[in-house]
Amino acid sequence: MTEIKLYNTKSRKKEAFEPIRAEDVRMYVCGPTVYDRAHIGNARPVIVFDMLYRLLRHVYGAEHVTYVRNFTDVDDKINAKAADTGRTIGEITEETIGWYLEDMAAVGALEPNAMPRATGYIAEMIAMIEALIEKGHAYAAEGHALFRVRSYENYGALSGRDVDDMIAGARVEVAPYKEDPMDFVLWKPSSEDQPGWESPWGRGRPGWHIECSAMAKALLGDTFDIHGGGLDLQFPHHEDEIAQSCCANDTSEMAKVWMHNEMLQVEGKKMSKSLGNFFTVRDLLDQGYPGEVIRFVMLSTHYRSPMD
């Protein structure tokens, strides 16, 4: 059988890929928050992990590979857009998901086997939070549920960070209901005009990180082969995913291999909607650039190298 070697962010080296079960190769990749058109930076992980998905299917057989990529359809950016436009959250997310699938198909990406939406897994998120609280890894405070970071001794291993150094760097949200500045939100209260679900901690909505842990567990199991996403997700998103998943599921790892693509940059700065320095996949397609040309240009730079 063809040997596949992958660079594992967790070990910081290339490793021969050996799936947990060769007849059931499983990969999870973090997908978009659906409130606007995908910019070309959003297309980079789609194209990179589409290549890997095709390679895995070629080596192990299409019927033996499961690829999951989620949609985050509950988020403050979506709420803000709904408030600004007067449209419903459902209208915005449905339209944006349609655009996204159309644009990614245009650059030659196969659809994953499953594309779960966060709002479809609220019950699983609540169950995971309850398990974390029961085991002492999380606590409830003022309508919130928070993960107790210091209860997980390997926190920071993926990104190579030390908890105390992170606090000294002060890139953490300090809130009166937190036991420790590093603790992160699993559940937060919702006002009447925000989407919310009933929970043991009151009406509210999930924090960002718990979504992927709950969806990955439901669709791929407690431990799976590959977890991917953009380098900007390595910390805190993936670090937090590992902590809550391992603690909730009593496992030593969430995924065997962690892979991250570098960012697309514009004049040395990360391309992002918040900076306004982006153009969309649809912009390029409408200007007459074929999808395969966009794909070729993306794949002409190594996926772990910045691309300007």
Side-chain angles (χ1 to χ4, degrees), residues 174-238:
V174 178
Y177 48 79
K178 285 186 176 186
E179 291 180 357
D180 186 293
M182 281 304 300
D183 295 348
F184 60 85
V185 171
L186 301 167
W187 189 265
K188 55 189 174 183
S190 291
S191 61
E192 286 185 13
D193 60 342
Q194 292 173 323
W197 292 261
E198 292 304 322
S199 79
W201 319 286
R203 183 179 176 276
R205 59 200 192 281
W208 176 31
H209 314 302
I210 195 70
E211 296 178 12
C212 289
S213 284
M215 289 186 278
K217 176 183 172 72
L219 296 166
L220 298 176
D222 291 353
T223 305
F224 50 94
D225 298 295
I226 300 168
H227 195 315
L231 188 62
D232 57 333
L233 300 179
Q234 182 185 23
F235 183 86
H237 187 50
H238 289 165

Side-chain angles (χ1 to χ4, degrees), residues 41-175:
N42 301 139
R44 194 175 193 191
V46 174
I47 292 169
V48 165
F49 290 103
D50 179 66
M51 285 290 290
L52 179 55
Y53 179 42
R54 289 171 182 271
L55 176 61
L56 293 170
R57 285 162 58 98
H58 176 71
V59 173
Y60 293 97
E63 68 277 15
H64 299 301
V65 180
T66 303
Y67 173 22
V68 176
R69 187 185 66 220
N70 72 294
F71 287 115
T72 294
D73 61 345
V74 52
D75 185 88
D76 290 344
K77 290 174 184 171
I78 304 171
N79 301 343
K81 182 153 188 178
D84 289 345
T85 61
R87 301 178 69 201
T88 68
I89 286 167
E91 286 173 345
I92 292 167
T93 57
E94 203 63 39
E95 178 180 65
T96 308
I97 287 170
W99 287 342
Y100 183 85
L101 295 176
E102 194 176 86
D103 292 348
M104 296 311 115
V107 296
L110 298 172
E111 286 196 358
N113 301 94
M115 294 183 284
R117 302 183 188 196
T119 51
Y121 289 81
I122 300 293
E124 288 83 353
M125 294 177 211
I126 290 172
M128 182 172 272
I129 296 168
E130 287 180 310
L132 287 166
I133 291 174
E134 191 179 323
K135 293 173 182 181
H137 293 294
Y139 58 95
E142 297 181 26
H144 295 74
L146 298 113
F147 185 85
R148 198 175 265 125
V149 165
R150 292 184 191 273
S151 74
Y152 181 58
E153 62 181 6
N154 292 325
Y155 191 84
L158 179 71
S159 56
R161 299 172 186 232
D162 176 82
V163 173
D164 292 317
D165 289 345
M166 286 187 260
I167 293 174
R171 285 300 300 273
V172 292
E173 180 197 359
V174 178

Side-chain angles (χ1 to χ4, degrees), residues 37-40 103 278-289 294:
R37 285 271 186 193
H39 64 61
I40 60 168
D103 292 348
F278 70 94
F279 42 101
T280 67
V281 174
R282 181 51 50 185
D283 289 338
L284 293 182
L285 293 168
D286 288 348
Q287 287 170 28
Y289 293 99
I294 299 170

